[in-house]
Amino acid sequence: MTVHNLYIFDRNGACLHYSEWNRKKQAGISKQEEFKLMYGMLFSIRSFVSKMSPLDMREGFQCFQTSRYKLHFYETPTGLKFIMNTDLSVPNARETLHQIYSTLYVDYIVKNPLCSLGDPLQSDLFSARLDTFIKNLPYFNPRAA
Amino acid sequence: MSRQSNRTTDNKKMNSELFTLTYGALVTQLCKDYENDEEVNKQLDKMGYNIGVRLIEDFLARSSVGRCQDFRETADVIAKVAFKMYLGVTPSVTNWSPAGDEFSLVLESNPLVDFVELPDNHNVLIYSNLLCGVLRGALEMVQMAVDVRFAQDTLRGDNVTEIRMKFIKRIEENLPYHIRFF
């Protein structure tokens, strides 16, 4: 069980934060390209999912998985997007992503008047707390990866 | 607002007099800094807006309220959850327009004006205009453009304080230009 990496995007598609833990393979493109690719995919899949939905939809797109990894997606009503890649054994991580939003992002970024919203996050405090938070997750265990 | 680790038991009280007086000091300073009251109103609205765009995140994190289905639900959440959470009062939602795009929040008591009496030379001042900005900023972040203004104010001799809110449009999300052609 493990966590590979985490992206945070704002409502305009800017990548506010990226960190990785047990990522064994890089995409082979620059980080900027990778963020664009990720955001573009999410944007399309989200609108696809809501357009194609045969039922009235509340939550929408939540996650997808391949044979090797699972991508968890959580979006706040304000349009912030939290994306976490984990291995397949991790169950629903929406609650975890919501916690990152409500206890870390809101407390250390939104309530810090010196952090301007919409720019890449530069708070070391936030990064450190996030790192601790992820490493303390029950399913963060690099040895088993 | 300070950091709390445990959100669910977050009942920390703040001295409401201190809050009221701090707001009063802010308005007083603005009145000193700007020549006319209209400019002060504008500044209050702007400050409120900047508060609103951040406050909405705190609100969503604390209240676990999801996206509202229509404007009526939004009105209820604002009155029953948001005002209660941040100002400790629950305004009533009334005076719906027939089209359902406009309503009033009527406050029996406005905690911002507890010790306030407007002097005669400030009859244009909308003392609590910050609230309009907060509401506008917060709703803008959840893709709703609204127009917010004071319709009645106890400071100007009305019986109640009435905030009028008008829905303008949904702000559509577009894929940013730089990403569309990756």
Side-chain angles (χ1 to χ4, degrees):
Chain A
M1 287 206 181
T2 192
V3 175
H4 298 302
N5 53 5
L6 181 109
Y7 304 80
I8 302 175
F9 289 97
D10 77 352
R11 60 202 308 211
N12 300 317
C15 185
L16 299 181
H17 179 84
Y18 173 77
S19 43
E20 61 185 43
W21 289 273
N22 299 300
R23 187 174 179 172
K24 301 272 168 56
K25 176 184 163 296
Q26 297 295 329
I29 47 177
S30 77
K31 274 281 172 290
Q32 284 315 313
E33 287 297 313
E34 181 183 320
F35 297 154
K36 280 190 201 176
L37 197 59
M38 176 59 92
Y39 190 84
M41 186 279 294
L42 290 170
F43 191 91
S44 314
I45 205 166
R46 230 169 38 110
S47 79
F48 173 82
V49 165
S50 72
K51 279 209 181 78
M52 291 301 146
S53 171
L55 301 168
D56 197 22
M57 194 191 60
R58 272 215 158 216
E59 291 293 339
F61 173 59
Q62 306 198 4
C63 74
F64 74 66
Q65 70 176 57
T66 72
S67 60
R68 296 300 303 276
Y69 75 98
K70 194 167 177 179
L71 179 144
H72 306 262
F73 174 77
Y74 170 72
E75 182 178 10
T76 70
T78 49
L80 278 166
K81 295 167 186 68
F82 294 80
I83 295 100
M84 186 165 79
N85 284 316
T86 67
D87 73 352
L88 298 177
S89 56
V90 175
N92 195 336
R94 282 174 71 78
E95 190 47 44
T96 306
L97 293 177
H98 177 76
Q99 256 176 305
I100 293 174
Y101 167 65
S102 64
T103 62
L104 298 171
Y105 182 81
V106 169
D107 278 5
Y108 295 105
I109 305 299
V110 176
K111 290 185 189 172
N112 180 350
L114 299 178
C115 287
S116 70
L117 307 177
D119 291 343
L121 309 182
Q122 297 188 325
S123 162
D124 291 340
L125 188 60
F126 174 80
S127 308
R129 292 294 162 105
L130 179 66
D131 192 57
T132 318
F133 178 84
I134 296 283
K135 284 182 176 157
N136 284 329
L137 288 173
Y139 43 77
F140 184 88
N141 182 0
R143 275 170 298 136
Chain B
M1 261 176 282
S2 58
R3 274 170 203 143
Q4 286 102 15
S5 50
N6 193 348
R7 274 291 159 63
T8 46
T9 56
D10 174 15
N11 282 320
K12 211 166 170 186
K13 289 266 186 295
M14 175 179 166
N15 186 318
S16 70
E17 287 188 11
L18 176 65
F19 172 67
T20 308
L21 292 171
T22 308
Y23 184 71
L26 175 91
V27 179
T28 315
Q29 189 60 43
L30 284 176
C31 287
K32 281 182 192 149
D33 290 352
Y34 292 91
E35 297 276 306
N36 61 55
D37 289 352
E38 270 149 36
E39 195 56 37
V40 175
N41 294 343
K42 217 181 280 173
Q43 289 300 321
L44 283 172
D45 183 77
K46 205 191 269 177
M47 284 171 147
Y49 176 85
N50 289 330
I51 293 173
V53 296
R54 285 176 187 252
L55 197 64
I56 183 72
E57 305 280 9
D58 181 66
F59 175 74
L60 292 169
R62 281 189 202 213
S63 62
S64 68
V65 167
R67 188 176 287 285
C68 292
Q69 294 302 300
D70 55 24
F71 201 42
R72 282 182 189 269
E73 194 184 340
T74 310
D76 273 351
V77 170
I78 292 172
K80 301 206 177 91
V81 190
F83 267 79
K84 183 98 200 102
M85 186 185 289
Y86 294 112
L87 289 176
V89 293
T90 310
S92 44
V93 179
T94 54
N95 295 340
W96 277 96
S97 66
D101 65 342
E102 210 175 333
F103 66 91
S104 294
L105 292 166
V106 175
L107 291 124
E108 296 292 327
S109 72
N110 177 356
L112 294 179
V113 302
D114 278 350
F115 313 112
V116 182
E117 203 177 327
L118 282 190
D120 291 339
N121 56 342
H122 282 297
N123 51 9
V124 196
L125 179 70
I126 310 171
Y127 185 82
S128 311
N129 209 28
L130 188 96
L131 293 180
C132 294
V134 173
L135 288 164
R136 188 166 60 84
L139 288 178
E140 188 182 298
M141 294 301 282
V142 287
Q143 292 90 45
M144 257 182 271
V146 289
D147 179 62
V148 190
R149 63 192 166 78
F150 271 88
Q152 293 189 69
D153 193 340
T154 45
L155 288 183
R156 292 142 166 262
D158 299 313
N159 286 328
V160 288
T161 300
E162 177 184 350
I163 302 172
R164 192 80 184 143
M165 300 195 44
K166 183 177 168 46
F167 178 82
I168 301 171
K169 61 168 186 177
R170 279 203 79 76
I171 303 164
E172 293 297 330
E173 219 182 328
N174 290 316
L175 189 56
Y177 183 77
H178 67 279
I179 289 181
R180 200 168 296 163
F181 303 103
F182 61 80

